[in-house]
Amino acid sequence: MCGIVGAVAQRDVAEILLEGLKRLEYRGYDSAGVAIIHEGELKRTRRLGKVQELATALDESPLPGGTGIAHTRWATHGEPSERNAHPHISCGDIAVVHNGIIENHAKLREQLTALGYEFASDTDTEVICHLVHHELKSHDTLLAAVQATVKQLEGAYGTVVIDRRDPERLVVARSGSPLVIGYGLGEHFVASDQLALLPVTRTFAYLEEGDVAEVTRREVNIFDIDGNPVTREKKESEITHDAGDKGEYRHYMLKEIYEQPMALARTLEGRIANQQVLDTAFGDNAAEFLKDIKHVQIIACGTSYHAGMAARYWLEEWAGVSCNVEIASEFRYRKSHMFPNSLLVTISQSGETADTLAALRLAKEMGYKSTLTICNAPGSSLVRESDMAYMMKAGAEIGVASTKAFTVQLAGLLMLTAVLGRYNSMSDEMQKAISQSLQSMPAKVEQALGLDDAIAALAEDFADKNHALFLGRGDQYPIAMEGALKLKEISYIHAEAYASGELKHGPLALIDADMPVIVVAPNNELLEKLKSNVEEVRARGGLMYVFADKDAEFESDDTMKVIPVPHCDEFMAPLIYTIPLQLLSYHVALIKGTDVDQPRNLAKSVTVE
Ligand code: HGA
């Protein structure tokens, strides 16, 4: 979600800031802006729309200067518009960029208005810059003024502040929205994600919750929530490839769909030996944390929630532990019951999903026996704050609609099933079968990708449809949910998923020739039941697209198109059936001409609640 980049250097920084914003574009945003200090003055340019608009404006009217901040905004308070775009400025002196939400903005706005400050935007963010300006009247340094300011803020922020009267300094503060410091030679940078800064440095330190730091060309001084000086570990970035490159692919989403065999191979590396999944897949001390677990509570949002839903079937049936799955934004605001010996599992591609992070913190207060995160971002908040981490190693995912992260999450959750199964009731044979299945996943996904052309040919049928229904049973029900979510996200077609046994309890009323029904039908013990559901749809004139195992014996006819999916075992079936559904939504979106990688209104990593 949205992006922050800041720099303090001897050279002009506009290009560095712009390149950083471009690298964060994939997260979704509605406007962009930059403010730079030059010869004691603050200069600002903002544009509604793409970073390219901002780049063009800066080409026409360059902003020289070595200290600057930049932002891509995803509006939460105040419509997307140039006047609401960041940076916001107070009295021509202080400029601020901010990710997050200031919950007590209305009260602060009132107080600041009474003090004579005039607001130029409808954002919650603007209170920060006026507050800093006000605090500077009673504090000597920008650092002290920001420290006094953040004490008054309720909500979440990652923020960077500059003052034209102190032109060689950035002050940054983090609470609930990630910020990283990038170390250069005689120059320093800040950003909401290290991806933004890879062209200028590979050395980073993540700020922790409550940290405030002052950053000059020569020094970085970090202070914790109580104002004590602290050091935060510097690390070399592990990102080896340039995630900013689409290569031969038309969209990042397609590239990421095709990267799945590689991502799965990477996630399996070093985690299976002697036909068993190793405990160390979940961290060095994982055995200690996992051995007494009898119940698993999974917390996630969106696509990650669907991965958790699939894992519930596996953990209960194969590992012999009970499992609940809940959406993070619900879990964090209700009183839930905790079972003895419970493991809390959070799933998040970015590791910064605000609701999931809040749910983890709540679970720790509740006294969960241990916590595990399944996460793709090393050093992220979820990784740092959990007892154990399954690092997905899926590689950077740029498309807003998640694809490879989902299948890698499924693989990680299947490994968790095998490990918890070993400590409970799973036979050696089953553990062996799961590890064999895991190891053959990359090749099987490669085979499933071979369906691409056949699926592209179907996509035309969906172009004029406004609704679609996805059906699955058992652990394919969450796959149907994920298929529906993908179609919604990138083609804007309203899609819903049902466990097919639920059809007759309501959704059957919707069936007609304008409501395509997509069915995922592996050859499992629920096949006969699923076939009855298919007949129910057929009898009502529905048009079906059935993704089926060839042994499932579905035949194409006037009302049904059958797409044969490569035969696969029960452990990998949910993952394999995901592939054609990803391809279907991609091709439908292509025909509809939507913005596949940055669908409207959505952001990649949801760092606000
Ligand atoms: N609440 C602020 C910032 C939202 C955000 O994180 N955008 O990138 C606003 O609405 O401007």
Side-chain angles (χ1 to χ4, degrees):
M1 178 164 285
C2 42
I4 286 179
V5 192
V8 51
Q10 205 162 26
R11 51 180 165 161
D12 287 345
V13 292
E15 281 306 319
I16 295 171
L17 299 178
L18 262 186
E19 176 60 26
L21 290 187
K22 283 186 188 149
R23 288 169 169 262
L24 299 179
E25 271 195 297
Y26 72 94
R27 291 165 164 259
Y29 64 100
D30 48 61
S31 50
V34 54
I36 293 180
I37 302 172
H38 182 54
E39 294 177 347
E41 296 298 322
L42 260 179
K43 304 279 182 205
R44 170 176 69 177
T45 305
R46 299 179 292 174
R47 285 295 178 272
L48 181 63
K50 298 284 177 189
V51 173
Q52 191 48 48
E53 310 279 332
L54 182 67
T56 308
L58 289 173
D59 267 351
E60 281 161 15
S61 240
L63 293 187
T67 302
I69 53 179
H71 190 256
T72 43
R73 172 175 189 246
W74 186 81
T76 66
H77 291 58
E79 56 166 14
S81 63
E82 194 169 305
R83 66 188 280 277
N84 285 335
H86 303 206
H88 292 288
I89 291 185
S90 181
C91 306
D93 296 328
I94 303 293
V96 164
V97 288
H98 162 231
N99 284 347
I101 292 176
I102 304 305
E103 287 172 355
N104 57 340
H105 68 97
K107 197 177 100 207
L108 292 171
R109 182 180 271 249
E110 232 172 73
Q111 290 168 1
L112 288 159
T113 308
L115 287 167
Y117 285 98
E118 284 179 16
F119 280 76
S121 79
D122 306 317
T123 64
D124 51 336
T125 300
E126 198 180 343
V127 298
I128 304 178
C129 62
H130 296 312
L131 259 182
V132 173
H133 189 272
H134 177 63
E135 290 298 337
L136 265 169
K137 294 175 186 162
S138 51
H139 293 87
D140 291 342
T141 62
L142 187 60
L143 173 72
V146 172
Q147 282 169 323
T149 296
V150 295
K151 287 203 178 86
Q152 301 168 61
L153 303 178
E154 289 165 21
Y157 52 85
T159 187
V160 189
V161 185
I162 52 176
D163 180 351
R164 69 167 183 90
R165 298 158 297 186
D166 183 5
E168 295 214 347
R169 190 179 314 273
L170 311 171
V171 175
V172 298
R174 171 199 171 141
S175 179
S177 265
L179 277 180
V180 66
I181 295 182
Y183 292 79
L185 281 179
E187 53 188 14
H188 287 120
F189 309 94
V190 297
S192 49
D193 185 320
Q194 52 173 277
L195 273 183
L197 300 178
L198 287 176
V200 282
T201 181
R202 301 195 69 85
T203 309
F204 295 102
Y206 272 91
L207 292 187
E208 295 195 1
E209 288 296 280
D211 283 356
V212 178
E214 60 174 351
V215 180
T216 63
R217 285 206 300 115
R218 306 222 170 271
E219 271 184 338
V220 175
N221 298 313
I222 308 177
F223 303 87
D224 68 10
I225 195 163
D226 301 315
N228 302 314
V230 281
T231 48
R232 301 295 176 213
E233 194 186 352
K234 280 194 215 166
K235 284 194 179 151
E236 290 301 303
S237 172
E238 286 168 15
I239 299 175
T240 48
H241 62 290
D242 191 345
D245 184 10
K246 278 202 285 263
E248 72 201 77
Y249 294 97
R250 185 160 163 197
H251 293 100
Y252 285 110
M253 181 180 178
L254 189 63
K255 172 173 177 258
E256 287 155 9
I257 289 174
Y258 272 86
E259 276 173 357
Q260 288 177 106
M262 193 173 69
L264 285 162
R266 235 182 358 237
T267 209
L268 294 172
E269 220 174 272
R271 287 171 165 169
I272 296 177
N274 301 325
Q275 302 197 313
Q276 283 204 332
V277 177
L278 303 175
D279 294 347
T280 49
F282 302 94
D284 289 346
N285 304 322
E288 226 12 70
F289 289 115
L290 293 176
K291 67 181 188 333
D292 298 321
I293 293 302
K294 297 293 172 217
H295 177 77
V296 177
Q297 172 70 58
I298 298 178
I299 301 291
C301 308
T303 288
S304 304
Y305 171 70
H306 298 151
M309 289 272 291
R312 182 167 72 116
Y313 290 88
W314 309 337
L315 287 161
E316 297 220 336
E317 183 174 346
W318 301 327
V321 293
S322 57
C323 176
N324 288 338
V325 189
E326 191 161 356
I327 294 166
S329 53
E330 287 297 310
F331 180 84
R332 66 178 288 196
Y333 287 120
R334 77 181 183 90
K335 291 232 167 340
S336 60
H337 178 74
M338 187 185 61
F339 295 95
N341 288 17
S342 280
L343 166 70
L344 184 101
V345 178
T346 55
I347 312 173
S348 161
Q349 193 281 131
S350 68
E352 301 292 349
T353 313
D355 284 320
T356 310
L357 189 55
L360 168 66
R361 290 174 183 161
L362 172 69
K364 285 165 79 171
E365 276 169 30
M366 288 170 70
Y368 271 76
K369 190 167 171 64
S370 47
T371 56
L372 162 71
T373 187
I374 296 186
C375 183
N376 200 27
S380 61
S381 302
L382 280 174
V383 171
R384 287 203 314 268
E385 295 187 29
S386 302
D387 297 325
M388 293 169 281
Y390 177 88
M391 293 316 310
M392 288 160 52
K393 303 185 186 167
E397 190 178 68
I398 305 285
V400 165
S402 179
T403 51
K404 63 177 177 173
F406 179 68
T407 46
V408 169
Q409 285 166 353
L410 288 178
L413 287 160
L414 188 56
M415 290 196 218
L416 180 66
T417 305
V419 169
L420 285 179
R422 187 158 62 242
Y423 289 116
N424 288 279
S425 57
M426 190 183 284
S427 66
D428 287 350
E429 287 71 48
M430 185 174 276
Q431 287 181 54
K432 206 160 130 183
I434 290 182
S435 33
Q436 279 167 354
S437 178
L438 282 161
Q439 281 168 315
S440 46
M441 274 175 186
K444 200 53 101 174
V445 169
E446 196 78 63
Q447 251 177 292
L449 288 168
L451 293 170
D452 200 358
D453 290 345
I455 292 170
L458 292 181
E460 197 69 55
D461 294 7
F462 289 77
D464 61 342
K465 299 289 187 284
N466 295 317
H467 307 276
L469 204 59
F470 285 70
L471 299 180
R473 291 194 85 117
D475 61 5
Q476 294 287 349
Y477 168 43
I479 300 313
M481 293 169 83
E482 175 58 11
L485 179 64
K486 280 301 84 110
L487 193 68
K488 270 186 268 207
E489 282 179 316
I490 61 167
S491 72
Y492 316 150
I493 293 176
H494 169 232
E496 279 193 81
Y498 273 90
S500 33
E502 273 293 288
L503 259 188
K504 50 191 165 300
H505 299 287
L508 213 46
L510 297 171
I511 301 295
D512 62 18
D514 285 328
M515 170 79 127
V517 179
I518 295 106
V519 186
V520 271
N523 188 13
N524 64 16
E525 74 284 359
L526 294 172
L527 182 63
E528 289 313 315
K529 303 259 178 249
L530 187 75
K531 282 188 166 168
S532 306
N533 304 138
V534 164
E535 288 312 317
E536 291 163 8
V537 175
R538 194 201 295 275
R540 275 125 191 124
L543 265 184
M544 280 171 296
Y545 297 82
V546 182
F547 293 91
D549 189 286
K550 68 174 175 357
D551 296 339
E553 294 175 352
F554 282 98
E555 302 241 334
S556 291
D557 58 26
D558 291 351
T559 57
M560 181 155 79
K561 288 192 182 169
V562 179
I563 304 95
V565 177
H567 183 69
C568 56
D569 65 51
E570 60 179 332
F571 303 115
M572 68 166 84
L575 193 147
I576 299 303
Y577 279 75
T578 300
I579 309 295
L581 300 189
Q582 293 171 342
L583 289 167
L584 180 67
S585 57
Y586 175 73
H587 287 294
V588 174
L590 274 192
I591 289 173
K592 297 204 75 169
T594 57
D595 190 344
V596 171
D597 286 328
Q598 291 168 42
R600 68 183 181 201
N601 303 341
L602 298 181
K604 179 70 182 161
S605 113
V606 185
T607 51
V608 294
E609 70 166 281

